[in-house]
Amino acid sequence: MNQARQALYDRIRESSKDEVILEEMIALGFWDPAQPGKEAAAELIGKTAELEREMSALRSEMARIDNQEAMLKALRKRNMEQAKARRVETKKRREAERQARAEAWRLKKQQDILYLGEGYSHSLGEQGACDAAALDENGALPAYENAAALAAAMGISIGELRWLAFGRKVSQTTHYQRFQVPKKSGGLRLISAPMPRLKEIQSWILREILEKVPIRSAARGFVRGKSIVDNARPHVGADVVINVDIKDFFPTVTYPRVKGVFRKLGYRGQVATILAMLTTEPEMVALEMDGQRYWMAKGERRLPQGAPSSPALTNIICRGLDAELEELALVNEYEYTRYADDITFSTRGREANRRIGGVLRKIEQHVGAHGFTLHPDKTKVLRNNARQEVTGIVVNEKLSVDRKTLRRFRAVMFQVEQDGPEGKHWGQAEHVIAGLTGYAHFLKMVDPARAQPFLEQLARIVEKHGNPVYPERRAARAPSWRRYQPDSDQAEATDAAPAANEAPAHPSGSEGEAATPVLEKKPWWKFW
């Protein structure tokens, strides 16, 4: 029964209900095609069924088409959702990678120095074992293979080492206080005094590296155990004394030359670069913008006059020059010494005396070959029929001081002891007793026996009139101080220096330039 019904349903779906009824009526004899109108009715039923089949086919096709669009829409929606999910996942993955890189970079910066400013970073990748033979040859220097080892030896962090060595074009802080002092020969000398933290590091470099390097015996300036007396003593009693001066001695020594010194001592590129950056500085110009002071670097980095490491570096740089001038002196029967930029030759005997012109030309040639220039106005040839001085000490017959100056000194000492210090002066000292004390100790260094009575007299003066210490006046002179710490906008200095490290603010000048303060002139021996 069910099969018959299903077969009937199938016939209806294949044709139409009217056609199946017509076929059944014909089969059962209820429909006589011969009767009038039956043929037309059958034809109408057939056409209607055919139209219904076509309509059904069209509906099926439309349904299929509609279904495809829905499928495409659903597919597009699914693809968009998947793409969005992938974008979210990619964003999360990239953010995680960025954070991982940032953390790796932070950790790496804690252990290494990869950048010290434009133009100074190309050798920072050179790490590793030092040149052991060079280290031993130059005084058994300690080996520092990389920035981490150097910072550990200095007792500071990598971040602080980076901050002290970083070469910025523009900065809100400066590692130096700059001022000018009058020269003995006229004009002004720029002094760049390092701030306390940098000064400690430069002193460490001097103590742990530079002072261990052997230098020529002719170098007498800024050498432990030697003084201007040792520089003058070899020239006592000479017939002729030749004094020449190297022009702009410290500023002539630039950063590449200092870096080359540390390389020759045995250190690889990274350590040599850091040490050179710590011991050099460019000329700085102060600018004001929106009430904020900025320091702009101008020109090459050079040895700062005022840093504790600068004199020792010049002595090392001048080893070749000293060797050549020692040989020149030996060949021409001269004595030779050098105190920083002051070069002295002396000789005895007529034959050597006749060679003065040739010796001067050779000195100029050797000095020029080593990148220096003689000061044209400071070459002096002193004969024994006049006063001969070497670094301020008279050397005609023995080590002594200028008689005229000594007589004035004796007179001022007497006046101060009798009448007190009011209204009296000695040199450019702020207080007469301070100036007299400095000269008395200078005299003691040159001629202890002659200085002893003056030192006793000075003790009586101090006991009678007091020590020239005026805290209220010093406080009035003291510059304003501000925090000396890394720039917040300098990305390389991640670890700040100790907050207690402070630096003086600098007075501003006209038209955006710093007005460099000029300190009062003092006796030259006070600076050393």
Side-chain angles (χ1 to χ4, degrees):
M1 183 65 179
N2 291 335
Q3 291 179 355
R5 183 179 295 176
Q6 184 62 40
L8 179 61
Y9 290 156
D10 291 340
R11 288 175 60 194
I12 291 173
R13 281 194 297 269
E14 289 175 359
S15 58
S16 68
K17 181 179 179 181
D18 291 338
E19 282 187 314
V20 171
I21 292 174
L22 181 60
E23 291 175 356
E24 288 297 323
M25 288 179 68
I26 293 172
L28 296 174
F30 295 106
W31 184 274
D32 184 6
Q35 291 180 358
K38 297 291 185 183
E39 183 178 356
E43 184 178 356
L44 179 60
I45 291 172
K47 288 182 179 181
T48 301
E50 183 178 355
L51 290 173
E52 288 181 354
R53 285 194 295 271
E54 290 179 0
M55 289 292 294
S56 178
L58 289 174
R59 283 194 295 270
S60 298
E61 182 66 18
M62 290 180 65
R64 187 181 68 82
I65 292 174
D66 291 342
N67 190 44
Q68 285 182 350
E69 291 180 354
M71 290 177 61
L72 289 174
K73 186 176 181 181
L75 183 61
R76 284 194 296 269
K77 183 178 180 181
R78 186 192 65 184
N79 291 343
M80 290 177 65
E81 292 175 351
Q82 290 178 350
K84 185 177 180 180
R86 286 196 301 270
R87 285 196 299 271
V88 171
E89 185 64 26
T90 300
K91 186 175 181 180
K92 290 181 179 179
R93 176 173 53 81
R94 289 179 177 175
E95 177 63 19
E97 292 174 352
R98 187 193 66 78
Q99 292 180 358
R101 288 195 301 269
E103 179 64 15
W105 178 256
R106 186 186 68 80
L107 294 175
K108 191 169 183 62
K109 287 202 300 182
Q110 290 180 353
Q111 303 170 0
D112 202 355
I113 293 180
L114 306 174
Y115 187 70
L116 283 178
E118 183 180 354
Y120 306 114
S121 306
H122 61 277
S123 299
L124 293 178
E126 298 180 22
Q127 306 180 33
C130 302
D131 186 341
L135 293 178
D136 291 339
E137 183 181 351
N138 287 287
L141 300 178
Y144 305 113
E145 298 183 352
N146 49 42
L150 185 63
M154 291 178 174
I156 61 177
S157 68
I158 285 286
E160 186 175 358
L161 180 61
R162 181 187 300 108
W163 172 59
L164 291 171
F166 201 91
R168 297 177 179 85
K169 299 296 183 183
V170 179
S171 176
Q172 294 183 9
T173 60
T174 174
H175 292 304
Y176 290 86
Q177 182 185 13
R178 297 165 182 83
F179 54 89
Q180 292 177 327
V181 296
K183 294 182 180 179
K184 184 179 179 181
S185 59
L188 297 173
R189 186 191 309 276
L190 177 64
I191 302 297
S192 298
M195 296 300 181
R197 195 61 180 135
L198 180 59
K199 186 176 181 180
E200 290 179 12
I201 298 303
Q202 290 176 343
S203 299
W204 183 92
I205 295 172
L206 173 66
R207 182 177 62 254
E208 300 297 329
I209 299 176
L210 300 179
E211 285 188 339
K212 296 180 180 181
V213 179
I215 59 175
R216 305 295 299 189
S217 60
R220 306 296 171 88
F222 308 101
V223 178
R224 191 177 296 276
K226 294 183 180 181
S227 66
I228 56 174
V229 173
D230 299 289
N231 185 62
R233 186 174 288 115
H235 307 288
V236 173
D239 292 329
V240 176
V241 174
I242 301 173
N243 287 323
V244 297
D245 183 87
I246 298 177
K247 185 178 181 181
D248 298 328
F249 187 48
F250 288 97
T252 300
V253 181
T254 57
Y255 163 79
R257 201 166 180 181
V258 176
K259 181 179 176 181
V261 167
F262 288 110
R263 277 187 174 275
K264 289 182 179 179
L265 294 181
Y267 296 108
R268 298 291 296 274
Q270 186 185 62
V271 173
T273 298
I274 296 171
L275 292 173
M277 293 294 286
L278 290 170
T279 53
T280 60
E281 63 129 4
E283 180 184 352
M284 303 296 287
V285 178
L287 302 174
E288 295 284 346
M289 182 179 296
D290 298 331
Q292 177 65 52
R293 166 158 301 191
Y294 296 90
W295 293 92
M296 183 176 69
K298 180 181 177 183
E300 285 189 273
R301 297 183 72 91
R302 305 173 185 276
L303 280 185
Q305 187 158 347
S309 53
S310 293
L313 279 166
T314 58
N315 282 338
I316 297 172
I317 288 172
C318 288
R319 287 189 298 182
L321 175 61
D322 288 335
E324 294 176 6
L325 294 182
E326 285 174 358
E327 184 178 357
L328 175 65
L330 180 62
V331 170
N332 291 278
E333 301 178 9
Y334 276 75
E335 291 287 340
Y336 162 67
T337 61
R338 180 182 60 81
Y339 194 95
D341 56 350
D342 292 325
I343 293 175
T344 303
F345 277 71
S346 66
T347 184
R348 297 172 178 82
R350 292 185 177 181
E351 290 299 324
N353 193 356
R354 294 192 184 102
R355 294 192 286 269
I356 293 176
V359 169
L360 280 172
R361 286 192 295 272
K362 287 291 185 181
I363 293 173
E364 186 174 9
Q365 291 173 6
H366 288 300
V367 169
H370 285 267
F372 297 105
T373 304
L374 292 183
H375 199 296
D377 300 328
K378 293 187 178 181
T379 298
K380 299 179 181 179
V381 178
L382 309 173
R383 302 185 185 278
N384 58 3
N385 57 357
R387 186 174 72 241
Q388 297 171 319
E389 285 188 353
V390 176
T391 51
I393 300 177
V394 179
V395 295
N396 288 71
E397 297 177 358
K398 64 176 184 176
L399 296 177
S400 61
V401 296
D402 177 44
R403 293 180 181 178
K404 184 178 179 180
T405 304
L406 187 62
R407 285 196 295 269
R408 288 195 302 107
F409 177 69
R410 183 181 288 109
V412 174
M413 288 279 284
F414 176 79
Q415 294 170 4
V416 172
E417 185 177 12
Q418 295 297 317
D419 305 328
E422 290 76 13
K424 300 174 181 62
H425 304 278
W426 179 256
Q428 299 295 326
E430 178 183 359
H431 194 279
V432 64
I433 296 180
L436 294 174
T437 302
Y439 190 82
H441 284 87
F442 165 67
L443 182 61
K444 178 183 178 182
M445 181 174 59
V446 177
D447 191 343
R450 177 174 288 183
Q452 188 57 38
F454 292 108
L455 292 172
E456 295 173 358
Q457 185 180 10
L458 183 64
R460 295 195 300 270
I461 291 174
V462 171
E463 183 179 1
K464 182 177 181 180
H465 300 289
N467 206 324
V469 178
Y470 295 90
E472 66 281 359
R473 294 178 61 184
R474 290 187 178 182
R477 290 198 316 270
S480 60
W481 293 77
R482 60 183 173 81
R483 283 291 174 197
Y484 176 53
Q485 59 187 6
D487 290 348
S488 59
D489 59 347
Q490 299 295 341
E492 291 306 314
T494 54
D495 297 332
N501 200 1
E502 297 180 342
H506 301 264
S508 60
S510 60
E511 298 181 358
E513 292 193 2
T516 305
V518 180
L519 298 190
E520 63 180 22
K521 186 174 181 181
K522 296 182 179 180
W524 62 267
W525 59 84
K526 296 282 285 182
F527 294 113
W528 317 122

